[in-house]
Amino acid sequence: MQKREHVFIGGQWRNAEDNTTIDVLNPATAAAIGTVPRCGRTETSVAIDAAHKAFADWRTAGPDARADVLNRMHEALMDNQQALAEILTEEMGKP
């Protein structure tokens, strides 16, 4: 799985507007395991606008189109389940 240290908004990986970040820490060890953008009002507003635009298409999509999106999401999760499990385990501080 490709390492991402950005936020995904409106179909694009982005940094925070001011390029600040927050360390993601393993709570069991306090070790930094990654960084994420320190998003604020600007990024939140952009994300809300992007969600409204996406919903306009989604609400008119038929059941087959929606099922296709959900099936592709399922495939992506299954294709990356080991890496996702490792990331989530480390993020939660589990052994």
Coordinates of all heavy atoms in Angstrom, one line a residue:
M1 N 0.9 -1.2 0.0 CA 0.0 0.0 0.0 C 0.9 1.2 0.0 O 1.9 1.3 0.7 CB -0.9 0.0 1.2 CG -1.7 1.3 1.4 SD -2.8 1.2 2.8 CE -4.1 0.3 2.1
Q2 N 0.5 2.2 -0.8 CA 1.3 3.4 -0.9 C 1.1 4.3 0.3 O -0.1 4.4 0.8 CB 0.9 4.2 -2.2 CG 1.8 5.4 -2.4 CD 1.4 6.1 -3.7 OE1 0.5 5.7 -4.4 NE2 2.1 7.2 -4.0
K3 N 2.1 4.8 0.9 CA 2.0 5.6 2.1 C 1.5 7.0 1.7 O 2.0 7.6 0.8 CB 3.4 5.8 2.8 CG 3.3 6.5 4.1 CD 4.7 6.5 4.7 CE 4.6 7.2 6.0 NZ 5.9 7.2 6.7
R4 N 0.4 7.4 2.4 CA -0.2 8.7 2.1 C -0.1 9.5 3.4 O -0.5 9.1 4.5 CB -1.6 8.6 1.7 CG -1.8 7.9 0.4 CD -1.6 8.8 -0.7 NE -1.9 8.1 -2.0 CZ -1.6 8.6 -3.2 NH1 -0.9 9.7 -3.3 NH2 -1.9 8.0 -4.2
E5 N 0.3 10.8 3.3 CA 0.3 11.6 4.5 C -0.4 13.0 4.1 O 0.1 14.0 4.4 CB 1.7 11.8 5.0 CG 2.3 10.5 5.5 CD 3.7 10.7 6.2 OE1 4.4 11.6 5.9 OE2 4.0 9.8 7.0
H6 N -1.5 12.8 3.4 CA -2.3 13.9 2.9 C -3.7 13.6 3.3 O -4.1 12.5 3.7 CB -2.1 14.1 1.4 CG -0.7 14.4 1.0 ND1 0.2 13.4 0.8 CD2 0.0 15.5 0.8 CE1 1.4 13.9 0.5 NE2 1.2 15.2 0.4
V7 N -4.6 14.6 3.0 CA -6.0 14.4 3.2 C -6.6 14.3 1.7 O -6.2 15.0 0.8 CB -6.6 15.5 4.0 CG1 -6.5 16.9 3.4 CG2 -8.1 15.2 4.4
F8 N -7.6 13.5 1.6 CA -8.2 13.3 0.3 C -9.6 14.1 0.2 O -10.5 13.7 0.9 CB -8.5 11.8 0.0 CG -8.9 11.4 -1.4 CD1 -7.9 11.5 -2.4 CD2 -10.1 11.1 -1.8 CE1 -8.2 11.2 -3.7 CE2 -10.4 10.7 -3.1 CZ -9.5 10.8 -4.0
I9 N -9.6 15.1 -0.6 CA -10.7 16.0 -0.7 C -11.0 16.3 -2.2 O -10.2 16.7 -2.9 CB -10.5 17.4 0.0 CG1 -10.2 17.2 1.5 CG2 -11.8 18.3 -0.2 CD1 -9.9 18.5 2.2
G10 N -12.3 16.0 -2.5 CA -12.7 16.3 -3.9 C -11.9 15.6 -5.0 O -11.6 16.2 -6.0
G11 N -11.5 14.4 -4.7 CA -10.7 13.6 -5.7 C -9.2 13.9 -5.8 O -8.6 13.4 -6.7
Q12 N -8.7 14.7 -4.8 CA -7.3 15.0 -4.8 C -6.7 14.8 -3.4 O -7.3 15.1 -2.4 CB -7.1 16.5 -5.2 CG -7.6 16.8 -6.6 CD -7.4 18.3 -6.9 OE1 -7.3 19.1 -6.0 NE2 -7.3 18.6 -8.2
W13 N -5.4 14.4 -3.4 CA -4.7 14.3 -2.2 C -4.1 15.7 -2.0 O -3.5 16.3 -2.9 CB -3.5 13.3 -2.3 CG -4.0 11.9 -2.3 CD1 -4.1 11.1 -3.4 CD2 -4.5 11.2 -1.2 NE1 -4.7 9.9 -3.0 CE2 -4.9 9.9 -1.7 CE3 -4.6 11.4 0.2 CZ2 -5.4 8.9 -0.8 CZ3 -5.1 10.4 1.0 CH2 -5.5 9.2 0.5
R14 N -4.3 16.3 -0.7 CA -3.9 17.6 -0.4 C -3.1 17.7 0.9 O -3.3 16.9 1.8 CB -5.1 18.5 -0.3 CG -6.1 18.5 -1.4 CD -7.4 19.2 -1.0 NE -8.2 19.4 -2.1 CZ -8.5 20.5 -2.7 NH1 -8.0 21.6 -2.2 NH2 -9.3 20.6 -3.7
N15 N -2.4 18.8 1.0 CA -1.8 19.2 2.3 C -2.8 20.2 2.9 O -3.7 20.7 2.2 CB -0.5 19.9 2.1 CG 0.6 19.0 1.6 OD1 0.7 17.9 2.1 ND2 1.4 19.4 0.7
A16 N -2.6 20.6 4.1 CA -3.3 21.7 4.7 C -2.9 23.0 4.0 O -1.8 23.1 3.5 CB -3.0 21.8 6.2
E17 N -3.8 23.9 4.0 CA -3.5 25.2 3.3 C -2.2 25.8 3.8 O -1.5 26.4 3.0 CB -4.7 26.1 3.5 CG -4.6 27.4 2.7 CD -5.8 28.3 2.9 OE1 -6.1 28.7 4.1 OE2 -6.4 28.7 1.9
D18 N -2.0 25.7 5.1 CA -0.8 26.4 5.6 C 0.4 25.4 5.7 O 1.4 25.7 6.3 CB -1.0 27.0 7.0 CG -1.5 26.0 8.0 OD1 -1.6 24.8 7.7 OD2 -1.8 26.5 9.1
N19 N 0.2 24.2 5.2 CA 1.2 23.1 5.2 C 1.6 22.6 6.6 O 2.7 22.0 6.7 CB 2.5 23.5 4.4 CG 2.2 23.6 2.9 OD1 1.6 22.6 2.4 ND2 2.6 24.6 2.2
T20 N 0.8 22.9 7.6 CA 1.2 22.3 8.9 C 0.6 20.9 9.0 O -0.3 20.5 8.3 CB 0.5 23.2 10.0 OG1 -0.9 23.2 9.9 CG2 1.1 24.6 10.0
T21 N 1.3 20.1 9.9 CA 0.9 18.7 10.0 C 0.8 18.4 11.5 O 1.2 19.1 12.4 CB 2.0 17.8 9.4 OG1 3.2 18.0 10.0 CG2 2.1 18.0 7.9
I22 N 0.2 17.2 11.8 CA 0.1 16.6 13.1 C 0.7 15.3 13.0 O 0.4 14.5 12.1 CB -1.4 16.5 13.5 CG1 -2.1 17.9 13.5 CG2 -1.5 15.9 14.9 CD1 -3.6 17.8 13.6
D23 N 1.6 14.9 14.0 CA 2.1 13.6 14.1 C 1.0 12.6 14.5 O 0.2 12.9 15.4 CB 3.3 13.5 15.1 CG 4.5 14.2 14.6 OD1 4.7 14.3 13.3 OD2 5.3 14.6 15.4
V24 N 1.0 11.4 13.9 CA 0.1 10.4 14.4 C 1.0 9.5 15.2 O 2.1 9.0 14.8 CB -0.4 9.6 13.2 CG1 -1.3 8.4 13.6 CG2 -1.2 10.5 12.2
L25 N 0.6 9.2 16.5 CA 1.4 8.5 17.4 C 0.8 7.2 17.8 O -0.5 7.0 17.9 CB 1.5 9.3 18.7 CG 2.1 10.7 18.6 CD1 2.1 11.4 19.9 CD2 3.5 10.7 17.9
N26 N 1.6 6.2 18.0 CA 1.2 4.9 18.5 C 1.0 5.2 20.0 O 1.9 5.5 20.7 CB 2.3 3.9 18.3 CG 2.0 2.5 18.9 OD1 1.4 2.4 20.0 ND2 2.4 1.5 18.2
P27 N -0.2 5.0 20.5 CA -0.5 5.4 21.9 C 0.2 4.5 22.9 O 0.4 4.9 24.1 CB -2.0 5.3 22.1 CG -2.4 4.4 20.9 CD -1.4 4.6 19.8
A28 N 0.6 3.3 22.5 CA 1.3 2.4 23.4 C 2.8 2.7 23.6 O 3.4 2.5 24.6 CB 1.2 0.9 22.9
T29 N 3.4 3.3 22.5 CA 4.8 3.6 22.5 C 5.2 5.1 22.4 O 6.3 5.4 22.6 CB 5.5 2.8 21.4 OG1 5.1 3.4 20.1 CG2 5.3 1.3 21.5
A30 N 4.2 5.9 22.0 CA 4.4 7.3 21.7 C 5.3 7.5 20.5 O 5.7 8.7 20.3 CB 4.9 8.1 22.9
A31 N 5.6 6.5 19.7 CA 6.4 6.6 18.5 C 5.5 7.2 17.4 O 4.4 6.9 17.3 CB 6.9 5.3 18.1
A32 N 6.1 8.1 16.7 CA 5.4 8.7 15.5 C 5.4 7.7 14.4 O 6.4 7.1 14.1 CB 6.2 10.0 15.0
I33 N 4.2 7.4 13.9 CA 4.0 6.4 12.8 C 3.6 7.1 11.5 O 3.4 6.4 10.5 CB 3.0 5.3 13.3 CG1 1.6 5.9 13.6 CG2 3.6 4.5 14.4 CD1 0.5 4.9 13.9
G34 N 3.4 8.4 11.5 CA 3.0 9.1 10.3 C 2.7 10.5 10.7 O 2.8 11.0 11.8
T35 N 2.3 11.3 9.7 CA 1.8 12.6 9.8 C 0.6 12.8 9.0 O 0.4 12.1 8.0 CB 2.9 13.7 9.4 OG1 3.2 13.5 8.0 CG2 4.1 13.6 10.3
V36 N -0.3 13.7 9.4 CA -1.5 14.1 8.7 C -1.5 15.6 8.6 O -1.0 16.3 9.5 CB -2.7 13.5 9.3 CG1 -2.8 12.0 9.2 CG2 -2.9 14.0 10.7
P37 N -2.2 16.2 7.6 CA -2.3 17.6 7.5 C -3.2 18.1 8.7 O -4.1 17.5 9.1 CB -3.1 17.8 6.2 CG -2.9 16.6 5.4 CD -2.8 15.5 6.4
R38 N -2.8 19.3 9.2 CA -3.5 19.9 10.3 C -4.6 20.8 9.6 O -4.4 22.0 9.3 CB -2.6 20.8 11.2 CG -3.4 21.5 12.2 CD -2.5 22.3 13.1 NE -2.9 22.0 14.5 CZ -2.1 21.6 15.4 NH1 -0.8 21.5 15.2 NH2 -2.5 21.3 16.6
C39 N -5.7 20.2 9.3 CA -6.8 20.9 8.6 C -7.6 21.7 9.5 O -7.8 21.4 10.7 CB -7.7 19.8 7.9 SG -6.8 18.9 6.6
G40 N -8.1 22.8 8.9 CA -8.9 23.8 9.7 C -10.2 24.1 9.0 O -10.7 23.3 8.2
R41 N -10.6 25.3 9.2 CA -11.9 25.8 8.6 C -11.9 25.8 7.1 O -12.8 25.4 6.4 CB -12.2 27.2 9.0 CG -12.6 27.3 10.5 CD -12.8 28.7 10.9 NE -13.0 28.7 12.4 CZ -14.0 29.3 13.0 NH1 -14.9 30.0 12.2 NH2 -14.1 29.3 14.3
T42 N -10.7 26.2 6.5 CA -10.7 26.2 5.0 C -10.8 24.8 4.4 O -11.6 24.6 3.5 CB -9.3 26.8 4.5 OG1 -9.2 28.2 5.1 CG2 -9.2 26.9 3.0
E43 N -10.1 23.9 4.9 CA -10.1 22.5 4.4 C -11.5 21.9 4.7 O -12.0 21.2 3.8 CB -9.0 21.7 5.0 CG -7.6 22.1 4.6 CD -7.1 23.3 5.5 OE1 -7.7 23.6 6.5 OE2 -6.0 23.8 5.2
T44 N -12.0 22.2 5.8 CA -13.4 21.7 6.1 C -14.4 22.2 5.2 O -15.3 21.5 4.7 CB -13.7 22.0 7.6 OG1 -12.7 21.5 8.5 CG2 -15.1 21.5 8.0
S45 N -14.3 23.5 4.9 CA -15.3 24.1 3.9 C -15.1 23.5 2.5 O -16.1 23.2 1.9 CB -15.1 25.6 3.9 OG -15.9 26.2 3.0
V46 N -13.9 23.3 2.1 CA -13.6 22.7 0.8 C -14.2 21.3 0.8 O -14.8 20.8 -0.2 CB -12.1 22.7 0.5 CG1 -11.8 21.9 -0.8 CG2 -11.7 24.2 0.3
A47 N -14.0 20.5 1.9 CA -14.5 19.1 1.9 C -16.0 19.1 1.9 O -16.6 18.2 1.3 CB -13.9 18.4 3.2
I48 N -16.6 20.0 2.6 CA -18.1 20.0 2.6 C -18.6 20.4 1.2 O -19.6 19.7 0.8 CB -18.6 21.0 3.7 CG1 -18.3 20.5 5.1 CG2 -20.1 21.3 3.5 CD1 -18.6 21.5 6.2
D49 N -18.0 21.3 0.6 CA -18.4 21.7 -0.8 C -18.3 20.5 -1.7 O -19.1 20.2 -2.6 CB -17.6 22.9 -1.3 CG -18.0 24.2 -0.6 OD1 -19.1 24.2 0.0 OD2 -17.2 25.1 -0.8
A50 N -17.1 19.8 -1.6 CA -16.9 18.6 -2.4 C -17.9 17.5 -2.2 O -18.4 16.8 -3.1 CB -15.5 18.1 -2.2
A51 N -18.3 17.3 -0.9 CA -19.3 16.3 -0.6 C -20.6 16.7 -1.2 O -21.3 15.8 -1.7 CB -19.4 16.2 0.9
H52 N -21.0 17.9 -1.1 CA -22.3 18.3 -1.7 C -22.3 18.1 -3.2 O -23.3 17.6 -3.8 CB -22.5 19.8 -1.4 CG -23.1 20.1 -0.1 ND1 -24.3 19.8 0.4 CD2 -22.5 20.7 1.0 CE1 -24.5 20.1 1.6 NE2 -23.4 20.7 2.0
K53 N -21.2 18.4 -3.9 CA -21.1 18.2 -5.3 C -21.2 16.7 -5.6 O -21.8 16.3 -6.6 CB -19.8 18.8 -5.9 CG -19.8 20.3 -5.9 CD -18.5 20.8 -6.4 CE -18.5 22.4 -6.2 NZ -17.2 23.0 -6.5
A54 N -20.4 15.9 -4.9 CA -20.5 14.4 -5.1 C -21.8 13.8 -4.8 O -22.3 12.9 -5.6 CB -19.4 13.7 -4.2
F55 N -22.5 14.3 -3.8 CA -23.9 13.8 -3.5 C -24.9 14.1 -4.7 O -25.7 13.3 -4.9 CB -24.4 14.4 -2.2 CG -25.7 13.8 -1.8 CD1 -25.8 12.5 -1.5 CD2 -26.9 14.6 -1.8 CE1 -27.1 11.9 -1.1 CE2 -28.1 14.1 -1.5 CZ -28.2 12.7 -1.2
A56 N -24.7 15.2 -5.3 CA -25.6 15.5 -6.5 C -25.5 14.4 -7.5 O -26.6 14.0 -8.0 CB -25.2 16.9 -7.1
D57 N -24.4 13.9 -7.8 CA -24.2 12.8 -8.7 C -24.7 11.5 -8.1 O -25.4 10.7 -8.8 CB -22.8 12.6 -9.2 CG -22.3 13.7 -10.1 OD1 -23.2 14.4 -10.7 OD2 -21.1 14.0 -10.1
W58 N -24.4 11.3 -6.8 CA -24.7 10.0 -6.2 C -26.2 9.8 -6.1 O -26.7 8.7 -6.3 CB -24.0 10.0 -4.8 CG -24.3 8.7 -4.0 CD1 -25.1 8.5 -3.0 CD2 -23.7 7.5 -4.2 NE1 -25.1 7.3 -2.5 CE2 -24.2 6.6 -3.3 CE3 -22.7 7.0 -5.1 CZ2 -23.8 5.2 -3.2 CZ3 -22.3 5.7 -5.0 CH2 -22.8 4.8 -4.1
R59 N -26.9 10.9 -5.7 CA -28.4 10.7 -5.5 C -29.1 10.4 -6.8 O -30.2 9.9 -6.7 CB -28.9 11.9 -4.8 CG -29.1 13.2 -5.7 CD -29.8 14.3 -5.0 NE -29.6 15.5 -5.7 CZ -29.6 16.7 -5.2 NH1 -29.7 16.8 -3.9 NH2 -29.4 17.7 -5.9
T60 N -28.5 10.7 -7.9 CA -29.2 10.4 -9.2 C -28.7 9.1 -9.8 O -29.2 8.6 -10.8 CB -29.0 11.5 -10.2 OG1 -27.6 11.7 -10.5 CG2 -29.6 12.8 -9.7
A61 N -27.7 8.5 -9.2 CA -27.1 7.2 -9.7 C -28.1 6.1 -9.4 O -28.7 6.1 -8.3 CB -25.8 7.0 -9.0
G62 N -28.2 5.2 -10.3 CA -29.1 4.1 -10.2 C -28.5 3.0 -9.3 O -27.3 3.1 -8.9
P63 N -29.2 2.0 -8.9 CA -28.7 1.0 -8.1 C -27.5 0.2 -8.6 O -26.6 -0.2 -7.9 CB -29.9 0.0 -7.8 CG -30.9 0.4 -8.8 CD -30.6 1.8 -9.3
D64 N -27.4 0.0 -9.9 CA -26.3 -0.7 -10.5 C -25.0 0.1 -10.4 O -24.0 -0.4 -10.1 CB -26.6 -1.0 -12.0 CG -27.6 -2.1 -12.2 OD1 -27.9 -2.9 -11.2 OD2 -28.2 -2.2 -13.3
A65 N -25.1 1.4 -10.6 CA -24.0 2.3 -10.5 C -23.5 2.4 -9.1 O -22.3 2.3 -8.8 CB -24.3 3.7 -11.0
R66 N -24.4 2.5 -8.1 CA -24.0 2.5 -6.7 C -23.4 1.2 -6.3 O -22.4 1.1 -5.6 CB -25.3 2.8 -5.8 CG -25.7 4.2 -6.0 CD -26.9 4.4 -5.0 NE -27.4 5.8 -5.2 CZ -28.2 6.4 -4.3 NH1 -28.5 5.8 -3.2 NH2 -28.6 7.6 -4.5
A67 N -24.0 0.1 -6.7 CA -23.4 -1.2 -6.4 C -22.0 -1.4 -7.0 O -21.1 -1.9 -6.3 CB -24.3 -2.4 -7.0
D68 N -21.8 -0.9 -8.2 CA -20.5 -0.9 -8.8 C -19.4 -0.2 -7.9 O -18.3 -0.7 -7.6 CB -20.5 -0.3 -10.2 CG -19.1 -0.4 -10.8 OD1 -18.6 -1.5 -10.9 OD2 -18.6 0.6 -11.3
V69 N -19.8 1.0 -7.4 CA -18.9 1.8 -6.5 C -18.6 1.0 -5.2 O -17.5 0.9 -4.8 CB -19.5 3.2 -6.2 CG1 -18.7 3.9 -5.1 CG2 -19.6 4.0 -7.5
L70 N -19.7 0.5 -4.6 CA -19.5 -0.3 -3.4 C -18.7 -1.5 -3.6 O -17.8 -1.9 -2.8 CB -20.8 -0.6 -2.8 CG -21.6 0.6 -2.3 CD1 -23.0 0.2 -1.8 CD2 -20.9 1.4 -1.2
N71 N -18.9 -2.2 -4.7 CA -18.1 -3.4 -5.0 C -16.6 -3.1 -5.2 O -15.7 -3.8 -4.8 CB -18.6 -4.1 -6.2 CG -19.9 -4.9 -5.9 OD1 -20.0 -5.4 -4.8 ND2 -20.8 -5.0 -6.9
R72 N -16.3 -1.9 -5.9 CA -14.9 -1.5 -6.1 C -14.3 -1.1 -4.8 O -13.1 -1.4 -4.5 CB -14.8 -0.4 -7.1 CG -15.0 -0.9 -8.5 CD -14.8 0.2 -9.6 NE -15.9 1.1 -9.6 CZ -15.9 2.4 -9.6 NH1 -14.7 3.0 -9.6 NH2 -17.0 3.2 -9.6
M73 N -15.0 -0.5 -3.9 CA -14.5 -0.2 -2.6 C -14.2 -1.5 -1.8 O -13.2 -1.6 -1.1 CB -15.5 0.7 -1.8 CG -15.6 2.1 -2.3 SD -16.9 3.1 -1.5 CE -16.3 3.1 0.2
H74 N -15.1 -2.4 -1.9 CA -14.9 -3.7 -1.2 C -13.6 -4.4 -1.7 O -12.8 -4.9 -1.0 CB -16.1 -4.6 -1.4 CG -15.9 -6.0 -0.9 ND1 -15.5 -7.1 -1.6 CD2 -16.0 -6.5 0.4 CE1 -15.4 -8.1 -0.9 NE2 -15.7 -7.8 0.4
E75 N -13.4 -4.4 -3.1 CA -12.2 -5.0 -3.7 C -11.0 -4.3 -3.2 O -10.0 -4.9 -2.9 CB -12.3 -5.0 -5.2 CG -13.3 -5.9 -5.8 CD -13.5 -5.8 -7.3 OE1 -12.6 -5.2 -7.9 OE2 -14.6 -6.2 -7.8
A76 N -11.0 -3.0 -3.1 CA -9.8 -2.2 -2.7 C -9.5 -2.5 -1.2 O -8.3 -2.7 -0.9 CB -10.1 -0.7 -2.8
L77 N -10.5 -2.7 -0.4 CA -10.3 -3.0 1.0 C -9.7 -4.4 1.1 O -8.8 -4.7 1.9 CB -11.6 -2.9 1.8 CG -12.1 -1.6 2.1 CD1 -13.5 -1.6 2.7 CD2 -11.2 -0.9 3.1
M78 N -10.3 -5.4 0.4 CA -9.8 -6.7 0.4 C -8.4 -6.9 -0.1 O -7.5 -7.6 0.4 CB -10.7 -7.7 -0.3 CG -12.1 -7.8 0.3 SD -12.0 -8.5 2.0 CE -12.2 -7.1 3.0
D79 N -8.1 -6.1 -1.2 CA -6.7 -6.1 -1.8 C -5.7 -5.6 -0.9 O -4.5 -5.9 -1.0 CB -6.7 -5.3 -3.1 CG -7.4 -6.0 -4.2 OD1 -7.8 -7.2 -4.1 OD2 -7.7 -5.3 -5.3
N80 N -6.1 -4.7 0.1 CA -5.2 -4.1 1.0 C -5.4 -4.4 2.5 O -4.9 -3.7 3.3 CB -5.3 -2.5 0.8 CG -4.8 -2.1 -0.6 OD1 -3.6 -2.1 -0.9 ND2 -5.8 -1.8 -1.4
Q81 N -6.1 -5.5 2.7 CA -6.5 -5.8 4.1 C -5.4 -6.0 5.0 O -5.4 -5.5 6.2 CB -7.5 -6.9 4.2 CG -7.0 -8.3 3.8 CD -8.1 -9.3 3.8 OE1 -9.1 -9.2 4.6 NE2 -7.9 -10.4 3.1
Q82 N -4.3 -6.6 4.6 CA -3.2 -6.8 5.5 C -2.5 -5.5 5.9 O -2.3 -5.2 7.1 CB -2.1 -7.8 4.9 CG -1.0 -8.1 5.8 CD -1.4 -8.8 7.1 OE1 -2.3 -9.7 7.0 NE2 -0.8 -8.5 8.2
A83 N -2.2 -4.7 4.9 CA -1.6 -3.4 5.2 C -2.5 -2.5 6.1 O -2.1 -1.8 7.0 CB -1.3 -2.7 3.9
L84 N -3.8 -2.5 5.8 CA -4.8 -1.7 6.6 C -4.8 -2.2 8.0 O -4.9 -1.4 8.9 CB -6.2 -1.8 5.9 CG -6.3 -1.0 4.6 CD1 -7.6 -1.4 3.9 CD2 -6.2 0.5 4.9
A85 N -4.8 -3.6 8.2 CA -4.9 -4.1 9.5 C -3.6 -3.7 10.3 O -3.7 -3.4 11.5 CB -4.9 -5.7 9.4
E86 N -2.5 -3.7 9.6 CA -1.2 -3.3 10.3 C -1.3 -1.8 10.7 O -0.9 -1.5 11.8 CB 0.0 -3.6 9.4 CG 0.2 -5.1 9.3 CD 1.3 -5.4 8.2 OE1 1.9 -4.5 7.7 OE2 1.4 -6.6 7.9
I87 N -1.7 -1.0 9.8 CA -1.8 0.4 10.1 C -2.8 0.7 11.3 O -2.4 1.4 12.2 CB -2.3 1.2 8.9 CG1 -1.2 1.2 7.8 CG2 -2.7 2.6 9.2 CD1 -1.7 1.6 6.4
L88 N -4.0 0.1 11.2 CA -4.9 0.3 12.3 C -4.5 -0.2 13.6 O -4.7 0.4 14.7 CB -6.3 -0.3 11.9 CG -7.0 0.5 10.7 CD1 -8.2 -0.3 10.3 CD2 -7.4 1.9 11.1
T89 N -3.8 -1.4 13.6 CA -3.3 -1.9 14.8 C -2.3 -1.0 15.4 O -2.3 -0.8 16.7 CB -2.7 -3.3 14.5 OG1 -3.8 -4.2 14.0 CG2 -2.2 -4.0 15.8
E90 N -1.3 -0.5 14.6 CA -0.3 0.3 15.2 C -0.9 1.7 15.6 O -0.5 2.2 16.7 CB 0.7 0.6 14.1 CG 2.0 1.3 14.6 CD 3.1 1.4 13.6 OE1 2.8 1.2 12.4 OE2 4.2 1.6 14.0
E91 N -1.9 2.2 14.9 CA -2.5 3.5 15.3 C -3.2 3.3 16.6 O -3.3 4.3 17.4 CB -3.4 3.9 14.2 CG -4.1 5.2 14.4 CD -5.0 5.7 13.2 OE1 -5.4 4.8 12.4 OE2 -5.2 6.9 13.1
M92 N -3.8 2.1 16.9 CA -4.5 1.9 18.1 C -3.6 1.5 19.3 O -4.1 1.3 20.4 CB -5.6 0.9 17.9 CG -6.7 1.4 17.1 SD -7.9 0.1 17.0 CE -8.3 0.1 15.3
G93 N -2.3 1.2 19.0 CA -1.4 0.9 20.0 C -1.5 -0.6 20.5 O -1.1 -0.9 21.6
K94 N -2.0 -1.4 19.6 CA -2.2 -2.8 20.0 C -0.8 -3.6 19.6 O -0.1 -3.2 18.8 CB -3.3 -3.5 19.2 CG -4.6 -2.8 19.4 CD -5.2 -3.1 20.7 CE -6.6 -2.4 20.8 NZ -7.2 -2.6 22.1
P95 N -0.6 -4.7 20.3 CA 0.7 -5.4 20.0 C 0.6 -6.1 18.7 O -0.4 -6.4 18.1 CB 0.8 -6.4 21.2 CG -0.5 -6.4 21.9 CD -1.3 -5.2 21.4

